[in-house]
Amino acid sequence: MGEILTDMSAGREIRFSDLAKVCEHYFGRPRHGGTSHHVYKTPWPLDPRVNIQNANGKSKPYQVRQVLKAIAKLKEIEAAKKK
């Protein structure tokens, strides 16, 4: 998991299957609406989801950035709960 996150942070090309593993680790199982999109629920209001799409076996760079942002927000929420 750490190596995938490092590659994501470095802006390297990420396989869709690796991005899906990261999302499932942090956000649980995806909801599939019979489309190519995988939608993961997040624990905060307003935009409570992470949405990724398989682009010929690769993940879209803007979606990788969105996932990294969501993971950072999740870690902030968890840290605030510990205080």
Side-chain angles (χ1 to χ4, degrees):
M1 190 68 52
E3 186 176 330
I4 298 169
L5 288 171
T6 300
D7 288 346
M8 289 170 63
S9 296
R12 293 189 183 96
E13 191 172 272
I14 304 299
R15 290 188 309 243
F16 176 79
S17 60
D18 287 340
L19 185 61
K21 285 178 194 174
V22 169
C23 288
E24 194 162 323
H25 174 79
Y26 284 98
F27 306 111
R29 305 235 354 120
R31 173 180 53 112
H32 300 275
T35 68
S36 61
H37 292 259
H38 290 213
V39 181
Y40 299 87
K41 188 169 177 23
T42 59
W44 54 82
L46 298 180
D47 194 9
R49 65 191 177 286
V50 171
N51 181 8
I52 63 173
Q53 184 178 14
N54 190 341
N56 296 320
K58 298 175 184 159
S59 55
K60 296 182 177 188
Y62 78 93
Q63 291 175 339
V64 171
R65 290 189 298 273
Q66 288 173 345
V67 169
L68 286 171
K69 190 174 179 180
I71 291 169
K73 186 172 182 173
L74 183 64
K75 288 181 178 181
E76 285 176 21
I77 290 169
E78 289 174 352
K81 286 181 181 178
K82 290 180 181 180
K83 288 184 180 181

